[in-house]
Amino acid sequence: MTDVADGFAWIPAQTAVLGSDAHYPEEQPAREVSVDGFWMQTHQVTNANFAEFVSATGYVTVAERPLDPADYPGAPPQNLQPGSMVFHRTAGPVDLRHLSQWWTWTPGASWNHPRGPRSTNRGREQHPVVHIAFEDAAAYAQWAGCELPTESEWEVAARGGLPHTVYTWGDEPERPGERLANYWHGEFPHLPDTGYGQATPVGSFPANAYGLYDMAGNVWEWTTDWYGDRRDDQPCCAADSYDPGQPQFAVPRRVIKGGSFLCADSYCMRYRPSARRPQQVDTGMSHLGFRCATR
């Protein structure tokens, strides 16, 4: 087990094989990457942690700020209100090609109103904070005297010193009855098994060999890397990370890692260390949080 102090675990310098040639195209190519040693936060930042930051600084998250219609050409007026994207279970099976069936833009949703303006974090103090845009995560990290991890640092930490394994715990998937990570168990997106289908308090599942919790599932986590479609095609600047499929939105994208409680093997098997997704930096969601690192 690696040294742990003040909620951070030491990740030793190493060269590891990162990425994957056996799963989603954006994970390619698998290749050796070297990282220096660093400290990684053992838990995802919680609602209680973030509330302390807001109380100390008066910080207002991106989801709570008014929107400029000029930044969102063609957006319906009802969407041009402060808010965020909230997951809702469907009533039954749906076409998994259409995310809009379970994601809803929700005015008033934010870190302290996670399901909309009438919801609160009461009883969820130790859940990971969500609806966090990249700017929000970076502001918290600076206040805490930390930084956000790079994609390579995050993936090395998630592997816990194991070789190039499929999961944070090894090459074999969970066996029936095991509880190794908070990802979607059951029929997505309408019928999760009991105890799944939502975020859980940090540390509810076993830590990896470095003493890090929830490096698989629970909520996605921000990294500092600009998103490119391949692991060996690292964009040099924000503009190179724009989504070519949405040219009307000149919004940079960064890499998020770790998957979430919404990752289902039948739909989005991205709770693996090599998995990655792009996320527009101005957009928080109800399954997106972060953790900090120090170097």
Side-chain angles (χ1 to χ4, degrees):
M1 183 69 71
T2 303
D3 290 338
V4 177
D6 298 325
F8 284 77
W10 176 248
I11 314 302
Q14 59 193 276
T15 298
V17 177
L18 305 185
S20 173
D21 296 323
H23 296 94
Y24 296 108
E26 68 271 8
E27 301 172 34
Q28 300 175 3
R31 76 264 188 258
E32 287 192 341
V33 175
S34 297
V35 299
D36 295 331
F38 65 100
W39 293 89
M40 184 73 126
Q41 197 168 10
T42 56
H43 297 88
Q44 295 159 337
V45 173
T46 66
N47 286 316
N49 298 147
F50 203 79
E52 183 181 0
F53 161 61
V54 170
S55 177
T57 64
Y59 184 82
V60 177
T61 63
V62 171
E64 299 170 282
R65 303 173 194 169
L67 301 180
D68 183 350
D71 293 336
Y72 303 92
Q78 64 269 25
N79 287 359
L80 296 174
Q81 306 175 55
S84 190
M85 298 294 290
V86 175
F87 167 76
H88 295 279
R89 287 170 52 188
T90 60
V94 295
D95 187 336
L96 297 180
R97 293 174 297 178
H98 303 293
L99 282 68
S100 61
Q101 295 179 98
W102 58 87
W103 283 110
T104 305
W105 175 259
T106 306
S110 66
W111 76 272
N112 57 342
H113 301 290
R115 298 193 61 80
R118 296 185 179 180
S119 63
T120 73
N121 281 328
R122 186 174 302 125
R124 298 173 57 91
E125 290 82 3
Q126 295 308 308
H127 281 64
V129 67
V130 292
H131 296 297
I132 297 297
F134 181 82
E135 179 182 336
D136 305 329
Y140 176 96
Q142 182 178 31
W143 170 78
C146 303
E147 301 168 272
L148 298 178
T150 67
E151 179 177 11
S152 293
E153 287 173 338
W154 195 100
E155 188 169 333
V156 162
R159 292 189 179 282
L162 293 177
H164 191 234
T165 55
V166 175
Y167 305 99
T168 58
W169 56 83
D171 280 324
E172 297 300 319
E174 276 187 349
R175 294 186 295 269
E178 279 189 310
R179 290 178 56 88
L180 299 179
N182 184 19
Y183 61 96
W184 190 279
H185 296 62
E187 298 298 321
F188 182 83
H190 66 286
L191 194 62
D193 289 349
T194 301
Y196 296 96
Q198 60 187 344
T200 51
V202 298
S204 295
F205 292 79
N208 72 3
Y210 286 152
L212 304 175
Y213 293 89
D214 299 311
M215 298 301 283
N218 214 14
V219 300
W220 286 95
E221 301 180 21
W222 286 105
T223 75
T224 58
D225 285 46
W226 300 116
Y227 181 80
D229 288 335
R230 286 175 55 90
R231 294 293 296 265
D232 59 352
D233 182 25
Q234 174 64 39
C236 65
C237 57
D240 288 341
S241 71
Y242 293 167
D243 184 355
Q246 295 183 302
Q248 71 274 32
F249 298 127
V251 181
R253 299 179 298 166
R254 298 201 188 244
V255 176
I256 57 174
K257 298 283 285 183
S260 78
F261 63 90
L262 296 181
C263 284
D265 287 349
S266 61
Y267 168 66
C268 176
M269 192 178 169
R270 289 189 170 90
Y271 57 92
R272 298 168 292 101
S274 62
R276 61 203 296 267
R277 291 295 295 160
Q279 181 71 21
Q280 293 182 324
V281 297
D282 64 347
T283 304
M285 304 180 79
S286 59
H287 69 339
L288 176 58
F290 70 106
R291 78 178 72 210
C292 298
T294 63
R295 303 176 179 87

